[in-house]
Amino acid sequence: MTETTKAPSNQVEHLPYDERDEDYHEFEEYDEVTKPAARPFYKRRKYWIFCAIMTVIIVAVAVPIALFVILPKVAQSILNGSTMSFDDIQITEPTNTTLQMSMKGTLGDTGPFSATIQFPEPIQVYYNEKLLGSMNLKDTKASGGKGSISDSTTFNINDAEAFGSFSADMMNNPTFTWVLKSKITLKALGRTVENLDLNKALNLNGMGGFPDVKILKFDLPSDAAPGQGINLQIDTAMNNPSPIGITLGTIVLDISTGTTKLGQVRATGASLMGKSESVLNLTGTMYPQTTPQDLAAVSALFSAYIAGQASQTEARGVSVLPDGVNEVGWLSVGLKSMVLKVPLQSPEPLNIIKSIELGAMGMNWTNADAYAPLANSPGVIAAFQMPFGFSLNVTQVQNNMTVVYNGKNMAVLNAADWGPAVTTKDTNGTGSSINFALPPTPFAINADSHPDFDDFVTKLTVGSSQAFTVTGFAGTVAQTPIGEVRITGIPFKSDVSLAGLQGLKTEPTVINSLTVIGGLPTGLQIALNLTMVNPSQLSIYTGTGDRAAVTFAMMYQGDNVGTVIFPVLDLAPGQNVREAGALFTPTGTTGGQALLQNYMTNKPSVVDIFGSASSSGIAPLAAGLAQVQIQSNMPGNPAQLLLGTSLTILDDTGKTGVAMASVIVNNPFIPGLTIKSIKSTVMYNGRQLGAIDIPDVTIQVPGMTQQASQPLPLTMDLSIDSLISLMVDQAKVNNLNSAPIIALSQMAKDPSVKIPSSVFAGFNLPTFVKAAMVGLKVDVSMQVDVLVGEYATSLTLTQPGVPTATDDTILKLLPIVGTPIAQAIVDLATLSFTSVMINSPAETDFTTNINGLIANTGPFDADISFPSGSSVAWINGGSEVSIGQIAMPVVAAKADVGAVLALTNVPFHVTNGGNMGDFVGYSLKAESFEWSVVATNMTVTAMGAPIPNISMKKTVTLKGFNGLQGLVIQKFDLPSNDPDGIHLVLTASLPNPSNVGIEMGTVQFSNIYQGQELGFVQTVGLKLLPEAITPIAMEGTLTKQTSEAGLAALGDLFRTTLNGGSPNLIVKGKSVTPAGGPVSWLSSAFGSLTMNVSLPSIGKQDIITGITLKTMTLDFTGPDPYSVMTSSDNIEANYHIPFAFPLNIVQVAEDMNIQLPQGNNVANLKLPLGPAQTISPGVLKTAYANQPLNVDGSHHETFNAFSKILTTGPGVSFFLAGTADTVADTAAGAVTIPGIAVSVQSTMVGMNLNAGGAAITNISITGGTPQYLEIHQNVVLQNPSGLTVKVGEVGFNIGYAGHAMGRAVVANMVLVPGANTLPAIFHMTPDSDAVRDAFLSGFVAGASFTLDVTGAADSTTVASLQDAMASVKLSSTITGITDKLI
């Protein structure tokens, strides 16, 4: 601490009073007394005399002066020269305006007197000439030149900003100076001196930025809240050189390294003690980092910390909260100005990797350098323990590893690339493990360590384990709550051990399979499938190429019998199933021949397998493999050469004694096996059954197959005794009774002998023979010369119990007895068919269902089979015409009874399609027919014994189809169109009188009418059952007709049908298509079938239901008034047909009578065939032109009345009766349907001229004569009807006011529908001059007049219209001339 000091002796000290010379003069004596003598005064006598005198004077004079005059000045001088220092200033309870200050200090150079110092006024504290604040101090005492200060007081801050600046300097500077100013009172020598000036500079040590800050504890104990980072704990020792201590309360600091803000911490209850080390317990959060630069900075921090290296960090003040809530500004200013340089360093490098387990390790010699194999380990486990508790997931690792063996660095594994890793927590939670794979990395052996590596590999090969040490540095990439941190340079050292191969002796090497894959002249090539157990954790892979091969010698009974070759040695820890090759070279050694014999006779052999120095081309491996010596069981060949034999009795075996035997040779080898010679005997119960002796044969069996040999001649002993003995012995083996054989042998000698059928009940000879032969096994002794590939050898083998198969040819020995008996039975039998059903007929083959009876079949239950079928011939006029072959099934007959035939799906083969067609054609028409059924090569199986070569010929009579004349059509319909006509649907029934039925499939019949084929009908799935009525639903088409005859026939068919008739049709077979497709012989026969049939009547149909003449032109200008020329462009007729197929009438001709009333023919209109169209369903529109309406001569008056009504009436109702011929556009063609009866009521709208009135326009007086005045005018008449009437010249009488005015003549009157403007010439000839004059006067004056327009009998010369014209009565209003004459 720096204290206040006296001014130097060469300086003039400023005193608190004025210094004057006279003042010094007054005290000269005093000054001299007090000045040190040159020599000790007490050694002089004069001194003591002078002293006594002066004492009296001083006491009398100087003391009062000193007390009242000198003492204040002395006190001020002493005050000025005194010193003040503070050992401890503790600031507590800081606020923005006050603080509590406790202080302890000392006063020095306070003078010789004891004194009491009082501070009546606040002491003002200045810093840099700015008043910081003030404080009150209590009284203190001084004595003997010194004193002490100890007080607690409130410091009132005067200038907060200045105080903040001071606070920053105090915390960061090594020293600072306060100036204290105040008034003090001094009590000494019984006297009180007031108003002394205190102006003291106080030099104090600052906190100097807190040098030598120490981190006592650095911990990251846990994760912060999600997304917030890692919880941070720091205990730091703050060395405060200043005597000033501060109670801070809660402080907040930002922690950073470089430019990276690491986090924020705070301490609560923090205090900085003066002149001492204060420990702050800081807690907070290390922030998540996102930028690569910040993550790199954090990674470097962690890496250095773990490595025990120092990292420079900084702590910057953020805020001070003395009460934990509110910030004190001046204090925060000071704190914020503070930057703490704090080195972060672990006390020592951290050994976080506790151990390393390599797990399974691989050595891969794919590199060319045998001393740089690729090492890998898929399951390296590094146990680690972080010094922190936050979550950490290592995702990548790298390492640089050195392998130490025999006390020196042997190899380097530098896995510099980052690889994936997985972090797992220990179950006890005390540590974690990093699981990662060591990628294939060169196991680089140091040049001076090759012998060590050889030794290392050898010991791993033959030993149980091998220890070594790994050292190096690792790097990790870890996911943490603050981001992905990359920590490098992590040191590790661990002792590890690998389990050794133990010479591959821990478990026997098992030969799973041995396959001969080739044969060379010198030996057999063998493929081995081995199971080898590698007890170690070391995988060995020798790579590729020639160097990869590993060989072992194979020995048996001390002889080298071959070599085992691994193309590549690939051993993984545990069980290894591997492929190897071997060259078996038995030639020339006793052990080799013995091993071959054991192998061929399925005897296992224990072989020895030895390594050698040349076992591998890889030097480090060769040394280890040379010490390998294992044993293995070589299995024998379990496969027998003969798998079985089969015996075939030839047709002539009974004569020659030679049968054929085939042997099934098994070749268990991959190369081919060739048998070059065979000599064998076949024995049964010590008796020779036969022998084979073939000195030169070739039986080639491809590798790994079983091959039946070609039939080999077997010489048999066929003597009765031999065969009987065989059957009897086998019967005993199979517990069979052979007694019925004896009875059968009696019948063979005399077929006519009568034996009751009960003797043979239940006995089946073939079953007996087959049962007796079941399980037949023979003993075969053989000598064979063989080639296995190119390897030749001779084998002598005996195979007992070789399965011998016999087939049905064994029964070929039975017909010698059975054939005569069976033929006699068949000759006596009879054959009859009650029904035959032909199923699914086809061109050459179909099936039949046959019901019938075979009678008189003899005493045996017999099955009669027809291996060659039965031929069927049609007996035609005494000639047998072949038509087919029936593949008769086996027919079962009962003894003494016969067999009921109920055969289904018996195949029938057509032998001649033409003959078959002729027969079917005949049978379709005939009442009956005959078949000749012939069978040869029959086999009669009696007692189960098949007796072949039996023949049969029988005649069978069947009913014919008799033309199928019973066809009846119940109903028919024409519902729609087909693509080529009108769809026809009908329902019919067809009785079949024949006991032969047939599945005809799809059948088409042509429909013929009036000699014309109008279409067809067909049915699908037609099946004519024998002697049954078949309902038929048929559909077809009235096909489109193109010829006149066809169209005429079709039209007449419609006419007859619509008029209620029953047309007679001829139905002719057109096509028949069974389910399997067309059959020519059936088609030709079916085409000859003709049936007469009638369509049922549908009753007389009213086709035309109404006729409406919407327009009509009547031309009365012809020569005959009762032969009126007519035309119409719109006649609508309503029609209905009883069928739904589309019908478009395109032409129509009519012969119609107008009847008034119904039944009374007034006029006739004959319309020739003209165009028509169907405008809507059931509505026909037609038109015609210039056809006469001829009125019957006896009905002129009626027609006149008819015309009158049409002229002046609203309309007329009448009847039309007659016939219509139509041409209908149908899908079957343009069909003319003649003579359709018509009888309908119709109406015609009249012109109703009288109702519409007349208008006279365009009046023009054109001239006159003495008799009349000629006026040209237009007469406008309204025609509301559809009639157009041509009348010729017509005259109308004009009247006015009851007077005749003259006649208006229309030269050529034609009335059309609507308004008609008719030019007329009016000859005005009034019957009264007065009326004339008045009319003309009014007319020229523009007056209006109402005129009467009427017809008369002479209005027209057309007789048929005179009544009509006479009935015209109209009125019209005209207006005269409005223009002024003058």
Side-chain angles (χ1 to χ4, degrees):
M1 181 180 68
T2 303
E3 298 178 351
T4 57
T5 59
K6 295 180 181 179
S9 59
N10 60 351
Q11 282 186 325
V12 178
E13 185 178 2
H14 296 286
L15 300 176
Y17 52 87
D18 294 333
E19 295 181 324
R20 295 174 297 180
D21 292 338
E22 54 269 28
D23 292 330
Y24 283 101
H25 294 314
E26 292 177 340
F27 291 96
E28 285 179 357
E29 185 179 355
Y30 173 81
D31 290 339
E32 290 176 359
V33 173
T34 58
K35 290 180 180 180
R39 59 179 180 174
F41 60 88
Y42 51 84
K43 294 182 178 181
R44 297 178 182 177
R45 182 179 177 93
K46 287 182 179 182
Y47 172 74
W48 292 105
I49 297 171
F50 177 76
C51 187
I53 295 170
M54 288 304 297
T55 299
V56 175
I57 295 171
I58 288 171
V59 171
V61 178
V63 170
I65 293 174
L67 291 177
F68 295 102
V69 177
I70 300 175
L71 182 59
K73 292 183 180 291
V74 171
Q76 185 65 58
S77 177
I78 293 172
L79 178 61
N80 292 340
S82 65
T83 62
M84 180 183 291
S85 63
F86 286 96
D87 299 319
D88 181 22
I89 299 175
Q90 190 65 33
I91 298 174
T92 61
E93 300 180 22
T95 70
N96 286 315
T97 57
T98 64
L99 57 88
Q100 296 299 312
M101 182 180 290
S102 298
M103 61 193 77
K104 292 181 179 180
T106 60
L107 299 174
D109 296 329
T110 59
F113 310 113
S114 296
T116 298
I117 303 171
Q118 295 179 333
F119 304 92
E121 295 180 7
I123 297 177
Q124 295 178 330
V125 180
Y126 288 84
Y127 178 74
N128 289 340
E129 299 182 354
K130 289 185 179 181
L131 177 61
L132 298 181
S134 62
M135 58 182 174
N136 293 315
L137 292 180
K138 66 183 180 179
D139 299 347
T140 186
K141 294 183 181 297
S143 177
K146 59 183 179 180
S148 65
I149 299 175
S150 177
D151 198 358
S152 294
T153 185
T154 299
F155 187 96
N156 295 300
I157 298 172
N158 183 70
D159 187 340
E161 181 179 354
F163 203 86
S165 178
F166 155 72
S167 175
D169 288 348
M170 176 186 69
M171 290 185 180
N172 291 287
N173 295 337
T175 62
F176 66 90
T177 300
W178 271 354
V179 176
L180 308 182
K181 294 182 180 183
S182 185
K183 295 290 185 178
I184 67 172
T185 298
L186 182 66
K187 292 183 179 182
L189 302 175
R191 177 69 187 267
T192 299
V193 182
E194 296 179 344
N195 294 320
L196 295 175
D197 292 322
L198 176 65
N199 187 348
K200 187 68 65 180
L202 185 63
N203 294 323
L204 295 173
N205 286 338
M207 296 178 182
F210 299 99
D212 301 325
V213 176
K214 299 177 183 177
I215 294 179
L216 305 179
K217 174 184 176 183
F218 177 75
D219 193 13
L220 301 169
S222 60
D223 295 351
Q228 301 301 310
I230 302 173
N231 290 325
L232 173 62
Q233 293 180 357
I234 301 175
D235 289 351
T236 180
M238 306 282 286
N239 181 31
N240 182 7
S242 174
I244 299 177
I246 304 177
T247 300
L248 299 173
T250 298
I251 63 171
V252 180
L253 302 174
D254 281 341
I255 308 299
S256 61
T257 178
T259 60
T260 299
K261 185 176 179 180
L262 297 176
Q264 190 175 84
V265 294
R266 66 171 54 204
T268 59
S271 293
L272 295 177
M273 304 305 294
K275 290 186 177 180
S276 64
E277 188 176 75
S278 299
V279 176
L280 298 183
N281 303 118
L282 300 169
T283 61
T285 303
M286 181 175 281
Y287 294 152
Q289 304 297 330
T290 57
T291 68
Q293 296 82 358
D294 291 339
L295 287 171
V298 173
S299 298
L301 184 73
F302 276 113
S303 299
Y305 188 82
I306 290 173
Q309 299 171 359
S311 297
Q312 191 64 38
T313 63
E314 294 181 353
R316 291 180 179 270
V318 175
S319 64
V320 180
L321 310 172
D323 60 357
V325 177
N326 299 303
E327 183 177 7
V328 174
W330 61 266
L331 194 53
S332 292
V333 169
L335 187 70
K336 289 178 182 178
S337 68
M338 180 180 65
V339 178
L340 300 180
K341 303 293 185 177
V342 184
L344 177 63
Q345 183 177 14
S346 62
E348 59 184 13
L350 300 179
N351 181 23
I352 65 171
I353 297 179
K354 302 302 181 182
S355 64
I356 294 178
E357 296 180 17
L358 288 179
M361 186 173 180
M363 287 287 185
N364 185 329
W365 271 277
T366 54
N367 288 339
D369 187 355
Y371 289 96
L374 294 179
N376 70 288
S377 178
V380 180
I381 300 175
F384 74 97
Q385 187 170 9
M386 290 290 289
F388 309 118
F390 64 87
S391 61
L392 178 137
N393 180 27
V394 176
T395 59
Q396 296 183 61
V397 297
Q398 65 170 185
N399 61 79
N400 190 335
M401 185 184 300
T402 298
V403 177
V404 179
Y405 180 70
N406 285 341
K408 68 177 181 179
N409 295 344
M410 180 178 71
V412 173
L413 284 90
N414 185 6
D417 293 336
W418 293 93
V422 176
T423 303
T424 58
K425 275 281 190 182
D426 295 346
T427 55
N428 57 14
T430 59
S432 300
S433 296
I434 304 174
N435 300 270
F436 63 94
L438 176 67
T441 303
F443 197 83
I445 309 302
N446 296 330
D448 61 347
S449 298
H450 288 190
D452 298 296
F453 187 61
D454 292 347
D455 180 67
F456 178 75
V457 174
T458 299
K459 289 181 178 179
L460 276 176
T461 302
V462 300
S464 60
S465 65
Q466 183 59 48
F468 55 97
T469 300
V470 293
T471 65
F473 295 92
T476 64
V477 175
Q479 297 296 331
T480 72
I482 62 171
E484 184 178 85
V485 177
R486 188 177 296 255
I487 305 174
T488 58
I490 303 173
F492 64 86
K493 180 178 182 181
S494 179
D495 294 329
V496 295
S497 177
L498 284 177
L501 276 70
Q502 302 183 51
L504 300 176
K505 291 182 178 181
T506 56
E507 294 187 33
T509 296
V510 177
I511 300 176
N512 302 315
S513 65
L514 184 153
T515 304
V516 177
I517 60 173
L520 300 175
T522 57
L524 297 175
Q525 294 171 303
I526 296 174
L528 299 173
N529 180 274
L530 307 172
T531 297
M532 306 175 72
V533 177
N534 176 5
S536 74
Q537 295 174 294
L538 181 66
S539 297
I540 295 177
Y541 180 67
T542 57
T544 58
D546 295 340
R547 194 183 68 167
V550 173
T551 61
F552 295 95
M554 182 171 62
M555 306 185 74
Y556 184 70
Q557 293 181 352
D559 290 328
N560 191 326
V561 297
T563 303
V564 178
I565 304 168
F566 289 89
V568 58
L569 185 62
D570 183 4
L571 290 179
Q575 191 177 79
N576 293 264
V577 178
R578 296 292 182 262
E579 304 293 333
L583 181 64
F584 182 27
T585 55
T587 303
T589 63
T590 303
Q593 293 295 330
L595 184 61
L596 175 62
Q597 186 65 27
N598 289 346
Y599 174 73
M600 295 302 297
T601 56
N602 195 25
K603 293 180 181 179
S605 304
V606 177
V607 296
D608 296 310
I609 298 175
F610 291 89
S612 67
S614 61
S615 287
S616 174
I618 299 171
L621 268 182
L625 294 178
Q627 300 186 38
V628 173
Q629 180 178 350
I630 58 178
Q631 287 187 338
S632 180
N633 285 332
M634 177 176 170
N637 178 16
Q640 293 186 333
L641 188 63
L642 296 182
L643 297 181
T645 66
S646 60
L647 176 65
T648 301
I649 305 298
L650 304 177
D651 291 341
D652 60 351
T653 298
K655 297 178 181 179
T656 63
V658 178
M660 300 303 289
S662 178
V663 294
I664 300 174
V665 180
N666 177 44
N667 180 6
F669 314 129
I670 289 179
L673 175 68
T674 302
I675 298 177
K676 303 300 293 181
S677 70
I678 183 170
K679 183 175 183 179
S680 67
T681 57
V682 180
M683 307 291 292
Y684 179 81
N685 283 352
R687 299 187 302 273
Q688 182 173 330
L689 294 182
I692 296 175
D693 188 357
I694 306 176
D696 186 7
V697 70
T698 299
I699 302 175
Q700 292 181 331
V701 184
M704 305 300 290
T705 63
Q706 298 82 37
Q707 183 74 45
S709 72
Q710 63 269 37
L712 305 174
L714 174 68
T715 302
M716 292 188 64
D717 181 3
L718 294 181
S719 65
I720 297 297
D721 290 341
S722 178
L723 295 177
I724 291 297
S725 296
L726 177 62
M727 291 296 103
V728 170
D729 289 349
Q730 281 295 108
K732 290 179 180 179
V733 172
N734 293 292
N735 297 318
L736 301 176
N737 180 16
S738 60
I741 297 177
I742 298 174
L744 186 60
S745 65
Q746 294 174 351
M747 291 185 66
K749 295 176 182 179
D750 183 6
S752 63
V753 66
K754 299 295 181 181
I755 297 177
S757 58
S758 59
V759 173
F760 304 100
F763 179 71
N764 185 286
L765 181 58
T767 300
F768 173 83
V769 173
K770 292 177 182 179
M773 297 300 290
V774 168
L776 177 62
K777 294 182 179 180
V778 298
D779 301 329
V780 179
S781 298
M782 58 182 169
Q783 292 180 347
V784 291
D785 294 331
V786 299
L787 280 175
V788 180
E790 298 179 8
Y791 184 71
T793 187
S794 296
L795 300 174
T796 299
L797 302 173
T798 297
Q799 282 191 215
V802 177
T804 301
T806 59
D807 56 16
D808 289 346
T809 62
I810 196 69
L811 303 179
K812 290 181 180 181
L813 301 176
L814 300 179
I816 297 173
V817 177
T819 298
I821 300 173
Q823 187 62 61
I825 293 173
V826 171
D827 290 343
L828 295 174
T830 60
L831 175 65
S832 62
F833 293 160
T834 57
S835 69
V836 176
M837 183 67 193
I838 298 175
N839 304 317
S840 303
E843 192 67 43
T844 57
D845 295 279
F846 55 85
T847 63
T848 61
N849 297 341
I850 300 175
N851 292 299
L853 178 65
I854 299 177
N856 301 325
T857 56
F860 296 104
D861 287 346
D863 291 337
I864 305 172
S865 62
F866 304 83
S868 301
S870 299
S871 64
V872 178
W874 167 41
I875 302 176
N876 182 18
S879 299
E880 294 186 0
V881 179
S882 175
I883 60 174
Q885 186 83 9
I886 300 177
M888 289 286 289
V890 176
V891 176
K894 293 295 182 181
D896 300 328
V897 177
V900 176
L901 300 179
L903 309 178
T904 59
N905 297 321
V906 178
F908 188 104
H909 176 70
V910 177
T911 56
N912 188 298
N915 292 346
M916 187 67 175
D918 294 341
F919 158 68
V920 175
Y922 176 83
S923 67
L924 286 174
K925 304 178 187 67
E927 294 184 4
S928 66
F929 58 87
E930 289 184 335
W931 277 352
S932 174
V933 180
V934 177
T936 59
N937 195 30
M938 293 168 53
T939 297
V940 176
T941 302
M943 298 169 292
I947 309 300
N949 299 321
I950 307 299
S951 61
M952 175 190 76
K953 183 174 183 180
K954 307 293 179 182
T955 299
V956 180
T957 300
L958 294 167
K959 296 178 183 179
F961 293 93
N962 198 24
L964 295 174
Q965 293 303 317
L967 177 64
V968 176
I969 298 175
Q970 282 91 16
K971 62 179 180 179
F972 73 99
D973 191 13
L974 302 171
S976 60
N977 281 347
D978 283 339
D980 191 34
I982 302 172
H983 193 61
L984 172 62
V985 178
L986 59 83
T987 302
S989 62
L990 180 62
N992 179 15
S994 176
N995 57 356
V996 176
I998 184 170
E999 288 183 352
M1000 303 187 78
T1002 300
V1003 175
Q1004 279 193 3
F1005 295 97
S1006 296
N1007 299 324
I1008 300 172
Y1009 182 70
Q1010 295 181 351
Q1012 300 298 314
E1013 184 176 342
L1014 300 184
F1016 67 92
V1017 291
Q1018 73 176 25
T1019 185
V1020 177
L1022 178 61
K1023 180 188 291 187
L1024 293 180
L1025 299 176
E1027 297 181 303
I1029 297 175
T1030 302
I1032 307 175
M1034 290 189 283
E1035 297 188 34
T1037 303
L1038 291 179
T1039 55
K1040 187 172 185 177
Q1041 302 297 312
T1042 57
S1043 67
E1044 292 183 5
L1047 291 171
L1050 184 60
D1052 190 69
L1053 177 67
F1054 276 114
R1055 179 194 63 79
T1056 303
T1057 301
L1058 295 176
N1059 286 331
S1062 296
N1064 294 319
L1065 281 74
I1066 295 175
V1067 176
K1068 181 177 177 59
K1070 182 177 182 181
S1071 70
V1072 57
T1073 306
V1079 179
S1080 62
W1081 53 263
L1082 183 57
S1083 296
S1084 64
F1086 186 71
S1088 67
L1089 179 64
T1090 301
M1091 298 178 285
N1092 295 316
V1093 68
S1094 296
L1095 291 177
S1097 173
I1098 63 173
K1100 189 175 185 303
Q1101 302 292 310
D1102 292 327
I1103 303 302
I1104 305 299
T1105 59
I1107 298 175
T1108 302
L1109 302 172
K1110 291 198 169 185
T1111 66
M1112 194 170 191
T1113 299
L1114 300 172
D1115 189 353
F1116 288 93
T1117 62
D1120 185 352
Y1122 291 103
S1123 179
V1124 181
M1125 192 62 66
T1126 64
S1127 299
S1128 177
D1129 62 1
N1130 192 355
I1131 300 175
E1132 289 187 2
N1134 298 89
Y1135 67 92
H1136 168 73
I1137 61 172
F1139 308 112
F1141 71 91
L1143 178 73
N1144 182 22
I1145 298 176
V1146 296
Q1147 288 182 294
V1148 64
E1150 297 174 289
D1151 186 356
M1152 292 293 171
N1153 292 314
I1154 297 177
Q1155 294 182 343
L1156 288 169
Q1158 188 175 10
N1160 184 30
N1161 293 334
V1162 173
N1164 177 263
L1165 179 63
K1166 288 184 172 59
L1167 302 180
L1169 197 63
Q1173 67 180 98
T1174 300
I1175 60 175
S1176 63
V1179 179
L1180 169 70
K1181 180 180 179 180
T1182 187
Y1184 70 94
N1186 301 322
Q1187 297 300 320
L1189 176 65
N1190 296 311
V1191 181
D1192 186 85
S1194 62
H1195 291 91
H1196 284 186
E1197 293 300 324
T1198 304
F1199 183 72
N1200 292 344
F1202 178 74
S1203 299
K1204 177 182 178 182
I1205 295 172
L1206 288 178
T1207 301
T1208 58
V1212 64
S1213 177
F1214 55 93
F1215 290 91
L1216 295 174
T1219 62
D1221 299 338
T1222 64
V1223 177
D1225 189 1
T1226 71
V1231 180
T1232 300
I1233 307 174
I1236 298 175
V1238 178
S1239 179
V1240 297
Q1241 184 178 12
S1242 185
T1243 60
M1244 187 178 293
V1245 178
M1247 294 185 290
N1248 204 10
L1249 295 178
N1250 290 342
I1256 298 175
T1257 63
N1258 297 339
I1259 299 173
S1260 175
I1261 299 174
T1262 60
T1265 68
Q1267 290 78 28
Y1268 59 84
L1269 182 67
E1270 184 172 292
I1271 301 172
H1272 285 205
Q1273 61 189 21
N1274 288 339
V1275 178
V1276 181
L1277 299 179
Q1278 298 295 326
N1279 177 8
S1281 73
L1283 294 173
T1284 298
V1285 181
K1286 296 180 180 181
V1287 182
E1289 184 176 292
V1290 177
F1292 293 101
N1293 296 325
I1294 308 299
Y1296 171 66
H1299 296 276
M1301 296 295 289
R1303 172 165 285 200
V1305 177
V1306 179
N1308 183 21
M1309 189 173 77
V1310 178
L1311 295 176
V1312 298
N1316 291 267
T1317 301
L1318 305 173
I1321 299 174
F1322 175 32
H1323 288 180
M1324 182 176 171
T1325 57
D1327 61 359
S1328 167
D1329 292 341
V1331 171
R1332 178 197 63 193
D1333 295 340
F1335 178 81
L1336 290 175
S1337 297
F1339 183 79
V1340 299
S1344 296
F1345 304 93
T1346 299
L1347 301 180
D1348 295 324
V1349 181
T1350 60
D1354 62 349
S1355 291
T1356 179
T1357 61
V1358 180
S1360 57
L1361 285 179
Q1362 288 175 345
D1363 289 347
M1365 291 296 102
S1367 66
V1368 175
K1369 292 179 175 57
L1370 305 169
S1371 64
S1372 178
T1373 300
I1374 64 172
T1375 301
I1377 300 172
T1378 57
D1379 295 334
K1380 302 299 184 181
L1381 294 179
I1382 299 175

